[in-house]
Amino acid sequence: MEHLELFLKSIFIDNMVFATFLGMCSYLAVSKKVNTAVGLGAAVIFVLAITVPLNWLLDQYLLQPGALAWLGAEYADYDLSFLSFIMFIATIATMVQLVEIVVEKFSPSLYNSLGIFLPLIAVNCAILGGSLFMQSREIPSLGLATVYGVGSGIGWFLAILAIAAIREKIRYSNVPPALRGLGITFIITGLMAIGFMSFGGMLTGGDEETPKEEKTVKVDSKVKKEDKVLANNIKNNE
Amino acid sequence: MGLLSKKDTKLITDPLADNNPITIQVLGICSALAITAQLKASIVMAVSVMAVLAIGNVVISLMRNIIPSKIRIIVQLVVVAALVIIVDQVLKAYSYELSKTLSVFVGLIITNCIIMGRFEAFALANGPWRSFLDGIGNAAGYGLILIIVGFFRELLGSGTLLGFKVLGDPIEKTGLYAIGYENNGFMLLSPMALIVVGIIIWVQRSRNNALIEDH
């Protein structure tokens, strides 16, 4: 049940594109045709599904404060969390390289149509964002981390598919010249984001706390923890 | 000739308008949208990106002849990640409240496409001084949009600028609120950022017809 809830939540409520605006660059640049959008979306799902659980393991057993306890008691106070950006991005860059090799081998046409955007998945903020949110929201288990990765990938896929379909149709509409292309895409995305906000009450029935508040509460608790660590550090220094 | 030749000045002024990273090159949109609900956060983000981009551009430009082209993306990522870690630690040390507001978005400077885009398009082919100017210029263009969006969202959404109540007090009904103005809370929600940027693009392209796209 917990897994299903997180899955639905990561697709609809915390949708990567509409709620947190991650991966907007490739979302805007590759959404002119449905075919390429589907290809890129599938690649993003794949990379997210692999990197989020991998980074969860890294975070859990290497980076978190106290994560090195398995090495022995003297390592228990180590806090390597400042290294998480560089570790996460290294995992992601490796995985993207792998996906690139696989796609080039099995579907050269897709490889050509994605062009520069395939290696750029490495710098797609949705991918790093997935790992960073996984870390800041303290997802408790490997299974949940996988579900979160797949779910946010599907959410991103859904968003790029929808905007690509709309952009294919809007070509025949009479949009004011200055708004054509990028401008209207921004505004449509904004309207879609407003639409997606209506999913907010989906899992709570609408009368309990909204997920938005829940999110900030979670962030706060994490921050409080950090505050404590910081306060301790300051005391130690004094 | 002064410190900056004409060509060098162009490096800084071009990205401010006609070659703006956000509205024309379509780079670095994510962070531009997500943290602009407050003007202060926008300014801090703009300054952070400027530091990372200018220093990173210089570093990459200095190393451009020794980086093998096959692994250049990884080299670039490592350089950016190192710089971002420094920025993140500095923010945590000197402005902890703000680093909480920015949450994961400081980390996401690593994947900000402006940075990779400028490394690829400029720093790998130009000398350090010109790369530095290019970094400053592009970050300024990015920051400009961020500040415009942040300005309107904070002003219309909460009636404040940088935390100062410029439109009067909404509870005691002073200033504009006395004549029945209400804060438009919708401006603080994320979708409005997209629409504000859409309107900026609209205004910009109406003023300069050369920028209009086909579809």
Side-chain angles (χ1 to χ4, degrees):
Chain A
M1 195 57 215
E2 202 185 356
H3 290 73
L4 185 68
E5 199 171 298
L6 185 66
F7 185 64
L8 291 175
K9 202 174 152 192
S10 53
I11 295 180
F12 293 108
I13 302 171
D14 290 334
N15 186 291
M16 278 284 179
V17 174
F18 297 129
T20 47
F21 302 125
L22 297 180
M24 287 296 290
C25 310
S26 32
Y27 165 87
L28 290 167
V30 190
S31 61
K32 282 187 183 138
K33 279 195 195 137
V34 171
N35 286 343
T36 41
V38 169
L40 187 71
V44 167
I45 297 182
F46 183 71
V47 175
L48 264 175
I50 297 178
T51 55
V52 173
L54 265 181
N55 283 336
W56 185 86
L57 288 173
L58 269 181
D59 186 44
Q60 206 70 11
Y61 295 109
L62 273 180
L63 301 171
Q64 268 185 7
L68 285 171
W70 57 272
L71 267 179
E74 66 268 39
Y75 296 101
D77 316 333
Y78 283 30
D79 176 5
L80 296 182
S81 53
F82 69 94
L83 279 177
S84 47
F85 295 155
I86 221 161
M87 296 292 266
F88 287 177
I89 204 74
T91 319
I92 290 167
T94 323
M95 282 303 137
V96 168
Q97 200 86 58
L98 204 71
V99 171
E100 203 183 336
I101 294 168
V102 171
V103 173
E104 191 178 8
K105 176 105 172 69
F106 289 105
S107 172
S109 62
L110 178 63
Y111 181 77
N112 290 330
S113 66
L114 288 178
I116 182 72
F117 277 95
L118 199 53
L120 283 187
I121 293 183
V123 283
N124 185 326
C125 4
I127 311 276
L128 183 62
S131 292
L132 290 177
F133 275 129
M134 174 274 297
Q135 191 188 32
S136 74
R137 288 178 194 169
E138 296 179 10
I139 288 184
S141 75
L142 185 61
L144 281 173
T146 318
V147 166
Y148 180 70
V150 177
S152 13
I154 293 177
W156 200 86
F157 179 85
L158 205 69
I160 195 170
L161 188 65
I163 197 77
I166 293 176
R167 282 181 83 172
E168 278 199 357
K169 293 284 173 214
I170 215 166
R171 211 161 289 169
Y172 307 106
S173 315
N174 189 13
V175 179
L179 208 50
R180 268 177 211 159
L182 198 56
I184 195 72
T185 315
F186 264 104
I187 291 180
I188 295 171
T189 312
L191 295 177
M192 280 161 83
I194 295 173
F196 264 68
M197 283 170 69
S198 62
F199 286 118
M202 190 170 72
L203 295 173
T204 55
D207 45 19
E208 291 165 48
E209 245 188 349
T210 62
K212 193 112 195 175
E213 280 160 345
E214 206 176 288
K215 202 166 72 190
T216 48
V217 168
K218 267 186 195 162
V219 170
D220 280 347
S221 67
K222 159 97 177 174
V223 161
K224 262 177 209 148
K225 208 172 88 189
E226 280 180 1
D227 269 336
K228 263 182 212 156
V229 173
L230 205 75
N232 283 339
N233 286 348
I234 292 169
K235 257 184 218 159
N236 290 344
N237 287 343
E238 278 168 357
Chain B
M1 216 166 73
L3 187 60
L4 299 172
S5 68
K6 222 173 193 175
K7 233 166 121 194
D8 287 348
T9 324
K10 238 175 121 54
L11 284 177
I12 292 191
T13 51
D14 250 14
L16 288 180
D18 290 347
N19 195 17
N20 190 286
I22 291 182
T23 60
I24 310 296
Q25 303 173 27
V26 205
L27 296 173
I29 314 244
C30 331
S31 53
L33 298 171
I35 44 92
T36 47
Q38 290 174 336
L39 187 55
K40 199 174 169 197
S42 313
I43 293 174
V44 170
M45 191 69 181
V47 172
S48 315
V49 168
M50 190 177 276
V52 173
L53 186 52
I55 300 173
N57 246 353
V58 171
V59 172
I60 293 289
S61 162
L62 287 172
M63 301 200 301
R64 71 185 189 281
N65 295 324
I66 51 168
I67 303 176
S69 71
K70 287 226 157 161
I71 58 158
R72 64 178 195 284
I73 301 238
I74 304 212
V75 174
Q76 290 163 2
L77 280 176
V78 171
V79 171
V80 190
L83 290 171
V84 170
I85 289 175
I86 296 172
V87 168
D88 186 44
Q89 300 290 328
V90 169
L91 272 184
K92 273 197 184 129
Y94 289 102
S95 170
Y96 192 64
E97 286 296 315
L98 212 62
S99 79
K100 273 193 290 188
T101 332
L102 292 173
S103 70
V104 300
F105 289 96
V106 178
L108 287 174
I109 296 179
I110 299 174
T111 51
N112 190 316
C113 343
I114 294 180
I115 296 186
M116 295 300 280
R118 288 333 287 174
F119 285 1
E120 286 277 305
F122 201 90
L124 281 175
N126 288 281
W129 173 240
R130 282 171 58 82
S131 301
F132 177 74
L133 293 178
D134 181 73
I136 296 278
N138 276 283
Y142 165 87
L144 186 68
I145 300 288
L146 238 69
I147 289 168
I148 295 174
V149 179
F151 176 83
F152 282 112
R153 283 183 74 190
E154 192 177 341
L155 184 68
L156 300 177
S158 33
T160 57
L161 281 178
L162 292 172
F164 296 108
K165 298 189 174 106
V166 284
L167 295 184
D169 196 313
I171 299 161
E172 291 168 16
K173 300 279 176 210
T174 56
L176 260 187
Y177 298 97
I179 54 171
Y181 177 79
E182 290 285 341
N183 281 332
N184 182 1
F186 210 58
M187 290 300 283
L188 295 177
L189 295 175
S190 37
M192 281 313 289
L194 284 159
I195 295 176
V196 173
V197 176
I199 293 170
I200 293 176
I201 292 173
W202 191 3
V203 171
Q204 189 186 17
R205 292 189 186 184
S206 314
R207 288 165 55 100
N208 185 351
N209 289 330
L211 300 173
I212 290 174
E213 297 170 58
D214 295 339
H215 291 295

